[in-house]
PDB file of all heavy atoms in Angstrom:
ATOM      1  N   CYS Y 209     127.768 112.624 119.987  1.00 94.00           N
ATOM      2  CA  CYS Y 209     128.176 111.402 119.300  1.00 94.00           C
ATOM      3  C   CYS Y 209     127.963 110.229 120.245  1.00 94.00           C
ATOM      4  O   CYS Y 209     128.501 110.236 121.360  1.00 94.00           O
ATOM      5  CB  CYS Y 209     129.638 111.490 118.857  1.00 94.00           C
ATOM      6  SG  CYS Y 209     129.957 112.826 117.676  1.00 94.00           S
ATOM      7  N   PHE Y 210     127.223 109.245 119.811  1.00 96.00           N
ATOM      8  CA  PHE Y 210     126.846 108.131 120.673  1.00 96.00           C
ATOM      9  C   PHE Y 210     127.811 106.970 120.482  1.00 96.00           C
ATOM     10  O   PHE Y 210     128.293 106.714 119.374  1.00 96.00           O
ATOM     11  CB  PHE Y 210     125.399 107.739 120.395  1.00 96.00           C
ATOM     12  CG  PHE Y 210     124.453 108.895 120.600  1.00 96.00           C
ATOM     13  CD1 PHE Y 210     123.996 109.641 119.515  1.00 96.00           C
ATOM     14  CD2 PHE Y 210     124.067 109.268 121.869  1.00 96.00           C
ATOM     15  CE1 PHE Y 210     123.151 110.728 119.700  1.00 96.00           C
ATOM     16  CE2 PHE Y 210     123.223 110.359 122.067  1.00 96.00           C
ATOM     17  CZ  PHE Y 210     122.763 111.082 120.985  1.00 96.00           C
ATOM     18  N   THR Y 211     128.088 106.262 121.550  1.00 96.00           N
ATOM     19  CA  THR Y 211     129.286 105.432 121.635  1.00 96.00           C
ATOM     20  C   THR Y 211     129.098 103.946 121.378  1.00 96.00           C
ATOM     21  O   THR Y 211     130.074 103.204 121.367  1.00 96.00           O
ATOM     22  CB  THR Y 211     129.924 105.604 123.030  1.00 96.00           C
ATOM     23  OG1 THR Y 211     128.983 105.198 124.040  1.00 96.00           O
ATOM     24  CG2 THR Y 211     130.331 107.038 123.266  1.00 96.00           C
ATOM     25  N   GLY Y 212     127.870 103.472 121.168  1.00 97.00           N
ATOM     26  CA  GLY Y 212     127.684 102.047 120.903  1.00 97.00           C
ATOM     27  C   GLY Y 212     128.211 101.166 122.023  1.00 97.00           C
ATOM     28  O   GLY Y 212     128.054 101.460 123.202  1.00 97.00           O
ATOM     29  N   GLU Y 213     128.859 100.060 121.634  1.00 97.00           N
ATOM     30  CA  GLU Y 213     129.421  99.095 122.586  1.00 97.00           C
ATOM     31  C   GLU Y 213     128.373  98.616 123.598  1.00 97.00           C
ATOM     32  O   GLU Y 213     128.645  98.494 124.789  1.00 97.00           O
ATOM     33  CB  GLU Y 213     130.656  99.664 123.290  1.00 97.00           C
ATOM     34  CG  GLU Y 213     131.798  99.919 122.325  1.00 97.00           C
ATOM     35  CD  GLU Y 213     133.097 100.310 123.016  1.00 97.00           C
ATOM     36  OE1 GLU Y 213     133.070 100.690 124.203  1.00 97.00           O
ATOM     37  OE2 GLU Y 213     134.138 100.239 122.349  1.00 97.00           O
ATOM     38  N   SER Y 214     127.164  98.345 123.093  1.00 98.00           N
ATOM     39  CA  SER Y 214     126.153  97.717 123.943  1.00 98.00           C
ATOM     40  C   SER Y 214     126.699  96.391 124.463  1.00 98.00           C
ATOM     41  O   SER Y 214     127.481  95.714 123.790  1.00 98.00           O
ATOM     42  CB  SER Y 214     124.882  97.466 123.133  1.00 98.00           C
ATOM     43  OG  SER Y 214     124.369  98.665 122.607  1.00 98.00           O
ATOM     44  N   GLN Y 215     126.269  96.000 125.661  1.00 98.00           N
ATOM     45  CA  GLN Y 215     126.871  94.820 126.262  1.00 98.00           C
ATOM     46  C   GLN Y 215     125.933  94.142 127.249  1.00 98.00           C
ATOM     47  O   GLN Y 215     124.993  94.748 127.762  1.00 98.00           O
ATOM     48  CB  GLN Y 215     128.172  95.191 126.984  1.00 98.00           C
ATOM     49  CG  GLN Y 215     127.978  96.144 128.148  1.00 98.00           C
ATOM     50  CD  GLN Y 215     129.275  96.560 128.829  1.00 98.00           C
ATOM     51  OE1 GLN Y 215     130.366  96.314 128.325  1.00 98.00           O
ATOM     52  NE2 GLN Y 215     129.168  97.193 129.980  1.00 98.00           N
ATOM     53  N   VAL Y 216     126.232  92.856 127.494  1.00 98.00           N
ATOM     54  CA  VAL Y 216     125.575  92.087 128.553  1.00 98.00           C
ATOM     55  C   VAL Y 216     126.662  91.559 129.465  1.00 98.00           C
ATOM     56  O   VAL Y 216     127.646  90.971 129.001  1.00 98.00           O
ATOM     57  CB  VAL Y 216     124.743  90.926 127.987  1.00 98.00           C
ATOM     58  CG1 VAL Y 216     124.113  90.117 129.128  1.00 98.00           C
ATOM     59  CG2 VAL Y 216     123.666  91.439 127.045  1.00 98.00           C
ATOM     60  N   LEU Y 217     126.493  91.787 130.776  1.00 98.00           N
ATOM     61  CA  LEU Y 217     127.459  91.363 131.782  1.00 98.00           C
ATOM     62  C   LEU Y 217     126.833  90.338 132.711  1.00 98.00           C
ATOM     63  O   LEU Y 217     125.644  90.406 133.022  1.00 98.00           O
ATOM     64  CB  LEU Y 217     127.939  92.565 132.600  1.00 98.00           C
ATOM     65  CG  LEU Y 217     128.621  93.679 131.805  1.00 98.00           C
ATOM     66  CD1 LEU Y 217     128.751  94.936 132.648  1.00 98.00           C
ATOM     67  CD2 LEU Y 217     129.999  93.228 131.322  1.00 98.00           C
ATOM     68  N   SER Y 218     127.653  89.405 133.177  1.00 98.00           N
ATOM     69  CA  SER Y 218     127.184  88.374 134.094  1.00 98.00           C
ATOM     70  C   SER Y 218     127.235  88.881 135.535  1.00 98.00           C
ATOM     71  O   SER Y 218     127.845  89.921 135.818  1.00 98.00           O
ATOM     72  CB  SER Y 218     128.064  87.124 133.976  1.00 98.00           C
ATOM     73  OG  SER Y 218     129.271  87.301 134.708  1.00 98.00           O
ATOM     74  N   PRO Y 219     126.626  88.148 136.481  1.00 98.00           N
ATOM     75  CA  PRO Y 219     126.704  88.540 137.889  1.00 98.00           C
ATOM     76  C   PRO Y 219     128.129  88.524 138.456  1.00 98.00           C
ATOM     77  O   PRO Y 219     128.354  89.040 139.547  1.00 98.00           O
ATOM     78  CB  PRO Y 219     125.829  87.491 138.597  1.00 98.00           C
ATOM     79  CG  PRO Y 219     124.871  87.040 137.550  1.00 98.00           C
ATOM     80  CD  PRO Y 219     125.666  87.041 136.284  1.00 98.00           C
ATOM     81  N   ARG Y 220     129.065  87.955 137.728  1.00 96.00           N
ATOM     82  CA  ARG Y 220     130.470  87.975 138.150  1.00 96.00           C
ATOM     83  C   ARG Y 220     131.267  89.020 137.381  1.00 96.00           C
ATOM     84  O   ARG Y 220     132.493  89.054 137.447  1.00 96.00           O
ATOM     85  CB  ARG Y 220     131.090  86.591 137.965  1.00 96.00           C
ATOM     86  CG  ARG Y 220     130.411  85.503 138.788  1.00 96.00           C
ATOM     87  CD  ARG Y 220     130.610  85.722 140.279  1.00 96.00           C
ATOM     88  NE  ARG Y 220     129.933  84.715 141.082  1.00 96.00           N
ATOM     89  CZ  ARG Y 220     128.802  84.902 141.750  1.00 96.00           C
ATOM     90  NH1 ARG Y 220     128.202  86.086 141.692  1.00 96.00           N
ATOM     91  NH2 ARG Y 220     128.250  83.948 142.464  1.00 96.00           N
ATOM     92  N   GLY Y 221     130.569  89.863 136.633  1.00 96.00           N
ATOM     93  CA  GLY Y 221     131.224  90.933 135.898  1.00 96.00           C
ATOM     94  C   GLY Y 221     131.842  90.503 134.587  1.00 96.00           C
ATOM     95  O   GLY Y 221     132.551  91.292 133.943  1.00 96.00           O
ATOM     96  N   GLU Y 222     131.554  89.284 134.128  1.00 97.00           N
ATOM     97  CA  GLU Y 222     132.108  88.805 132.863  1.00 97.00           C
ATOM     98  C   GLU Y 222     131.286  89.365 131.703  1.00 97.00           C
ATOM     99  O   GLU Y 222     130.065  89.414 131.781  1.00 97.00           O
ATOM    100  CB  GLU Y 222     132.081  87.279 132.827  1.00 97.00           C
ATOM    101  CG  GLU Y 222     132.806  86.626 133.985  1.00 97.00           C
ATOM    102  CD  GLU Y 222     132.251  85.256 134.322  1.00 97.00           C
ATOM    103  OE1 GLU Y 222     131.025  85.063 134.263  1.00 97.00           O
ATOM    104  OE2 GLU Y 222     133.078  84.379 134.653  1.00 97.00           O
ATOM    105  N   ARG Y 223     131.940  89.759 130.628  1.00 97.00           N
ATOM    106  CA  ARG Y 223     131.235  90.278 129.456  1.00 97.00           C
ATOM    107  C   ARG Y 223     130.778  89.105 128.599  1.00 97.00           C
ATOM    108  O   ARG Y 223     131.589  88.367 128.037  1.00 97.00           O
ATOM    109  CB  ARG Y 223     132.140  91.211 128.657  1.00 97.00           C
ATOM    110  CG  ARG Y 223     131.424  91.882 127.494  1.00 97.00           C
ATOM    111  CD  ARG Y 223     132.286  92.916 126.807  1.00 97.00           C
ATOM    112  NE  ARG Y 223     132.472  94.105 127.636  1.00 97.00           N
ATOM    113  CZ  ARG Y 223     133.638  94.528 128.092  1.00 97.00           C
ATOM    114  NH1 ARG Y 223     134.739  93.850 127.817  1.00 97.00           N
ATOM    115  NH2 ARG Y 223     133.724  95.614 128.818  1.00 97.00           N
ATOM    116  N   LEU Y 224     129.467  88.921 128.509  1.00 98.00           N
ATOM    117  CA  LEU Y 224     128.887  87.820 127.748  1.00 98.00           C
ATOM    118  C   LEU Y 224     128.634  88.193 126.301  1.00 98.00           C
ATOM    119  O   LEU Y 224     128.571  87.322 125.435  1.00 98.00           O
ATOM    120  CB  LEU Y 224     127.571  87.378 128.395  1.00 98.00           C
ATOM    121  CG  LEU Y 224     127.640  86.992 129.875  1.00 98.00           C
ATOM    122  CD1 LEU Y 224     126.256  86.634 130.385  1.00 98.00           C
ATOM    123  CD2 LEU Y 224     128.620  85.839 130.085  1.00 98.00           C
ATOM    124  N   LEU Y 225     128.476  89.473 126.049  1.00 97.00           N
ATOM    125  CA  LEU Y 225     128.166  89.969 124.709  1.00 97.00           C
ATOM    126  C   LEU Y 225     128.577  91.428 124.630  1.00 97.00           C
ATOM    127  O   LEU Y 225     128.362  92.190 125.575  1.00 97.00           O
ATOM    128  CB  LEU Y 225     126.651  89.840 124.443  1.00 97.00           C
ATOM    129  CG  LEU Y 225     126.091  90.482 123.168  1.00 97.00           C
ATOM    130  CD1 LEU Y 225     126.641  89.778 121.943  1.00 97.00           C
ATOM    131  CD2 LEU Y 225     124.565  90.421 123.179  1.00 97.00           C
ATOM    132  N   ARG Y 226     129.176  91.802 123.499  1.00 97.00           N
ATOM    133  CA  ARG Y 226     129.515  93.203 123.277  1.00 97.00           C
ATOM    134  C   ARG Y 226     129.402  93.522 121.795  1.00 97.00           C
ATOM    135  O   ARG Y 226     129.975  92.804 120.959  1.00 97.00           O
ATOM    136  CB  ARG Y 226     130.922  93.527 123.773  1.00 97.00           C
ATOM    137  CG  ARG Y 226     131.257  95.017 123.700  1.00 97.00           C
ATOM    138  CD  ARG Y 226     132.585  95.307 124.355  1.00 97.00           C
ATOM    139  NE  ARG Y 226     132.817  96.726 124.522  1.00 97.00           N
ATOM    140  CZ  ARG Y 226     133.850  97.241 125.194  1.00 97.00           C
ATOM    141  NH1 ARG Y 226     134.727  96.439 125.770  1.00 97.00           N
ATOM    142  NH2 ARG Y 226     134.000  98.540 125.298  1.00 97.00           N
ATOM    143  N   LEU Y 227     128.689  94.576 121.462  1.00 98.00           N
ATOM    144  CA  LEU Y 227     128.570  95.031 120.083  1.00 98.00           C
ATOM    145  C   LEU Y 227     129.632  96.089 119.795  1.00 98.00           C
ATOM    146  O   LEU Y 227     130.316  96.563 120.699  1.00 98.00           O
ATOM    147  CB  LEU Y 227     127.165  95.574 119.842  1.00 98.00           C
ATOM    148  CG  LEU Y 227     126.027  94.565 120.089  1.00 98.00           C
ATOM    149  CD1 LEU Y 227     124.676  95.200 119.805  1.00 98.00           C
ATOM    150  CD2 LEU Y 227     126.204  93.318 119.248  1.00 98.00           C
ATOM    151  N   SER Y 228     129.763  96.479 118.543  1.00 96.00           N
ATOM    152  CA  SER Y 228     130.832  97.388 118.140  1.00 96.00           C
ATOM    153  C   SER Y 228     130.524  98.818 118.568  1.00 96.00           C
ATOM    154  O   SER Y 228     129.425  99.141 119.010  1.00 96.00           O
ATOM    155  CB  SER Y 228     131.018  97.333 116.620  1.00 96.00           C
ATOM    156  OG  SER Y 228     129.958  98.025 115.986  1.00 96.00           O
ATOM    157  N   ALA Y 229     131.500  99.690 118.383  1.00 96.00           N
ATOM    158  CA  ALA Y 229     131.325 101.103 118.733  1.00 96.00           C
ATOM    159  C   ALA Y 229     130.552 101.867 117.670  1.00 96.00           C
ATOM    160  O   ALA Y 229     129.952 102.900 117.975  1.00 96.00           O
ATOM    161  CB  ALA Y 229     132.688 101.760 118.950  1.00 96.00           C
ATOM    162  N   GLY Y 230     130.535 101.367 116.422  1.00 94.00           N
ATOM    163  CA  GLY Y 230     129.993 102.185 115.358  1.00 94.00           C
ATOM    164  C   GLY Y 230     128.988 101.543 114.429  1.00 94.00           C
ATOM    165  O   GLY Y 230     128.576 102.165 113.451  1.00 94.00           O
ATOM    166  N   ASP Y 231     128.573 100.311 114.702  1.00 96.00           N
ATOM    167  CA  ASP Y 231     127.667  99.624 113.785  1.00 96.00           C
ATOM    168  C   ASP Y 231     126.365  99.241 114.472  1.00 96.00           C
ATOM    169  O   ASP Y 231     126.346  98.904 115.664  1.00 96.00           O
ATOM    170  CB  ASP Y 231     128.321  98.342 113.246  1.00 96.00           C
ATOM    171  CG  ASP Y 231     129.572  98.628 112.431  1.00 96.00           C
ATOM    172  OD1 ASP Y 231     129.522  99.544 111.587  1.00 96.00           O
ATOM    173  OD2 ASP Y 231     130.590  97.942 112.646  1.00 96.00           O
ATOM    174  N   GLU Y 232     125.284  99.280 113.691  1.00 97.00           N
ATOM    175  CA  GLU Y 232     124.032  98.736 114.187  1.00 97.00           C
ATOM    176  C   GLU Y 232     124.156  97.220 114.315  1.00 97.00           C
ATOM    177  O   GLU Y 232     124.940  96.586 113.601  1.00 97.00           O
ATOM    178  CB  GLU Y 232     122.885  99.085 113.236  1.00 97.00           C
ATOM    179  CG  GLU Y 232     122.570 100.564 113.173  1.00 97.00           C
ATOM    180  CD  GLU Y 232     121.359 100.846 112.311  1.00 97.00           C
ATOM    181  OE1 GLU Y 232     121.378 100.453 111.132  1.00 97.00           O
ATOM    182  OE2 GLU Y 232     120.404 101.468 112.820  1.00 97.00           O
ATOM    183  N   GLY Y 233     123.356  96.656 115.205  1.00 96.00           N
ATOM    184  CA  GLY Y 233     123.404  95.206 115.344  1.00 96.00           C
ATOM    185  C   GLY Y 233     122.388  94.697 116.335  1.00 96.00           C
ATOM    186  O   GLY Y 233     121.927  95.431 117.220  1.00 96.00           O
ATOM    187  N   SER Y 234     122.032  93.433 116.176  1.00 97.00           N
ATOM    188  CA  SER Y 234     121.133  92.726 117.092  1.00 97.00           C
ATOM    189  C   SER Y 234     121.738  91.353 117.349  1.00 97.00           C
ATOM    190  O   SER Y 234     122.042  90.633 116.392  1.00 97.00           O
ATOM    191  CB  SER Y 234     119.737  92.578 116.479  1.00 97.00           C
ATOM    192  OG  SER Y 234     119.140  93.831 116.233  1.00 97.00           O
ATOM    193  N   GLU Y 235     121.920  91.020 118.622  1.00 97.00           N
ATOM    194  CA  GLU Y 235     122.523  89.725 118.943  1.00 97.00           C
ATOM    195  C   GLU Y 235     121.827  89.089 120.131  1.00 97.00           C
ATOM    196  O   GLU Y 235     121.254  89.770 120.984  1.00 97.00           O
ATOM    197  CB  GLU Y 235     124.018  89.882 119.223  1.00 97.00           C
ATOM    198  CG  GLU Y 235     124.840  90.232 117.983  1.00 97.00           C
ATOM    199  CD  GLU Y 235     126.333  89.998 118.189  1.00 97.00           C
ATOM    200  OE1 GLU Y 235     126.692  89.142 119.026  1.00 97.00           O
ATOM    201  OE2 GLU Y 235     127.123  90.683 117.526  1.00 97.00           O
ATOM    202  N   LEU Y 236     121.916  87.767 120.168  1.00 98.00           N
ATOM    203  CA  LEU Y 236     121.314  86.961 121.226  1.00 98.00           C
ATOM    204  C   LEU Y 236     122.369  86.446 122.190  1.00 98.00           C
ATOM    205  O   LEU Y 236     123.497  86.154 121.797  1.00 98.00           O
ATOM    206  CB  LEU Y 236     120.608  85.737 120.631  1.00 98.00           C
ATOM    207  CG  LEU Y 236     119.198  85.871 120.081  1.00 98.00           C
ATOM    208  CD1 LEU Y 236     118.806  84.560 119.411  1.00 98.00           C
ATOM    209  CD2 LEU Y 236     118.207  86.214 121.176  1.00 98.00           C
ATOM    210  N   VAL Y 237     121.972  86.306 123.457  1.00 98.00           N
ATOM    211  CA  VAL Y 237     122.804  85.627 124.439  1.00 98.00           C
ATOM    212  C   VAL Y 237     121.875  84.891 125.401  1.00 98.00           C
ATOM    213  O   VAL Y 237     120.787  85.378 125.722  1.00 98.00           O
ATOM    214  CB  VAL Y 237     123.714  86.621 125.196  1.00 98.00           C
ATOM    215  CG1 VAL Y 237     122.899  87.617 126.021  1.00 98.00           C
ATOM    216  CG2 VAL Y 237     124.713  85.886 126.077  1.00 98.00           C
ATOM    217  N   ASN Y 238     122.268  83.712 125.825  1.00 98.00           N
ATOM    218  CA  ASN Y 238     121.509  82.945 126.808  1.00 98.00           C
ATOM    219  C   ASN Y 238     122.007  83.272 128.206  1.00 98.00           C
ATOM    220  O   ASN Y 238     123.226  83.259 128.450  1.00 98.00           O
ATOM    221  CB  ASN Y 238     121.655  81.444 126.559  1.00 98.00           C
ATOM    222  CG  ASN Y 238     120.907  80.982 125.328  1.00 98.00           C
ATOM    223  OD1 ASN Y 238     119.853  81.513 124.993  1.00 98.00           O
ATOM    224  ND2 ASN Y 238     121.452  79.990 124.632  1.00 98.00           N
ATOM    225  N   ILE Y 239     121.089  83.559 129.114  1.00 97.00           N
ATOM    226  CA  ILE Y 239     121.463  83.802 130.504  1.00 97.00           C
ATOM    227  C   ILE Y 239     120.617  82.925 131.415  1.00 97.00           C
ATOM    228  O   ILE Y 239     119.468  82.604 131.101  1.00 97.00           O
ATOM    229  CB  ILE Y 239     121.321  85.293 130.892  1.00 97.00           C
ATOM    230  CG1 ILE Y 239     119.879  85.777 130.728  1.00 97.00           C
ATOM    231  CG2 ILE Y 239     122.261  86.151 130.050  1.00 97.00           C
ATOM    232  CD1 ILE Y 239     119.670  87.206 131.198  1.00 97.00           C
ATOM    233  N   ASP Y 240     121.179  82.552 132.527  1.00 97.00           N
ATOM    234  CA  ASP Y 240     120.505  81.700 133.507  1.00 97.00           C
ATOM    235  C   ASP Y 240     120.225  82.535 134.755  1.00 97.00           C
ATOM    236  O   ASP Y 240     121.159  82.876 135.491  1.00 97.00           O
ATOM    237  CB  ASP Y 240     121.389  80.504 133.859  1.00 97.00           C
ATOM    238  CG  ASP Y 240     120.679  79.487 134.741  1.00 97.00           C
ATOM    239  OD1 ASP Y 240     119.653  79.842 135.363  1.00 97.00           O
ATOM    240  OD2 ASP Y 240     121.154  78.339 134.824  1.00 97.00           O
ATOM    241  N   PRO Y 241     118.974  82.877 135.030  1.00 96.00           N
ATOM    242  CA  PRO Y 241     118.654  83.728 136.187  1.00 96.00           C
ATOM    243  C   PRO Y 241     119.171  83.183 137.506  1.00 96.00           C
ATOM    244  O   PRO Y 241     119.437  83.952 138.440  1.00 96.00           O
ATOM    245  CB  PRO Y 241     117.118  83.772 136.179  1.00 96.00           C
ATOM    246  CG  PRO Y 241     116.731  83.434 134.793  1.00 96.00           C
ATOM    247  CD  PRO Y 241     117.771  82.494 134.275  1.00 96.00           C
ATOM    248  N   ARG Y 242     119.346  81.870 137.607  1.00 96.00           N
ATOM    249  CA  ARG Y 242     119.797  81.281 138.879  1.00 96.00           C
ATOM    250  C   ARG Y 242     121.190  81.772 139.262  1.00 96.00           C
ATOM    251  O   ARG Y 242     121.520  81.819 140.458  1.00 96.00           O
ATOM    252  CB  ARG Y 242     119.774  79.757 138.778  1.00 96.00           C
ATOM    253  CG  ARG Y 242     118.376  79.166 138.624  1.00 96.00           C
ATOM    254  CD  ARG Y 242     118.415  77.677 138.390  1.00 96.00           C
ATOM    255  NE  ARG Y 242     119.126  77.346 137.167  1.00 96.00           N
ATOM    256  CZ  ARG Y 242     119.274  76.107 136.693  1.00 96.00           C
ATOM    257  NH1 ARG Y 242     118.751  75.084 137.364  1.00 96.00           N
ATOM    258  NH2 ARG Y 242     119.933  75.874 135.573  1.00 96.00           N
ATOM    259  N   GLU Y 243     121.979  82.169 138.276  1.00 97.00           N
ATOM    260  CA  GLU Y 243     123.319  82.666 138.582  1.00 97.00           C
ATOM    261  C   GLU Y 243     123.267  83.949 139.394  1.00 97.00           C
ATOM    262  O   GLU Y 243     124.175  84.229 140.182  1.00 97.00           O
ATOM    263  CB  GLU Y 243     124.105  82.896 137.291  1.00 97.00           C
ATOM    264  CG  GLU Y 243     124.435  81.642 136.520  1.00 97.00           C
ATOM    265  CD  GLU Y 243     125.229  81.943 135.279  1.00 97.00           C
ATOM    266  OE1 GLU Y 243     125.946  82.972 135.240  1.00 97.00           O
ATOM    267  OE2 GLU Y 243     125.132  81.163 134.311  1.00 97.00           O
ATOM    268  N   ALA Y 244     122.208  84.761 139.191  1.00 98.00           N
ATOM    269  CA  ALA Y 244     122.078  86.022 139.916  1.00 98.00           C
ATOM    270  C   ALA Y 244     121.517  85.816 141.325  1.00 98.00           C
ATOM    271  O   ALA Y 244     121.485  86.769 142.109  1.00 98.00           O
ATOM    272  CB  ALA Y 244     121.178  86.978 139.142  1.00 98.00           C
TER     273      ALA Y 244
END
Side-chain angles (χ1 to χ4, degrees):
C209 298
F210 302 99
T211 60
E213 296 188 343
S214 301
Q215 63 182 11
V216 178
L217 300 167
S218 80
R220 299 294 178 256
E222 304 153 322
R223 185 174 289 118
L224 305 178
L225 172 66
R226 186 173 191 173
L227 301 181
S228 75
D231 297 314
E232 293 185 303
S234 298
E235 290 196 26
L236 277 173
V237 64
N238 288 327
I239 60 176
D240 187 342
R242 294 174 299 182
E243 293 181 27

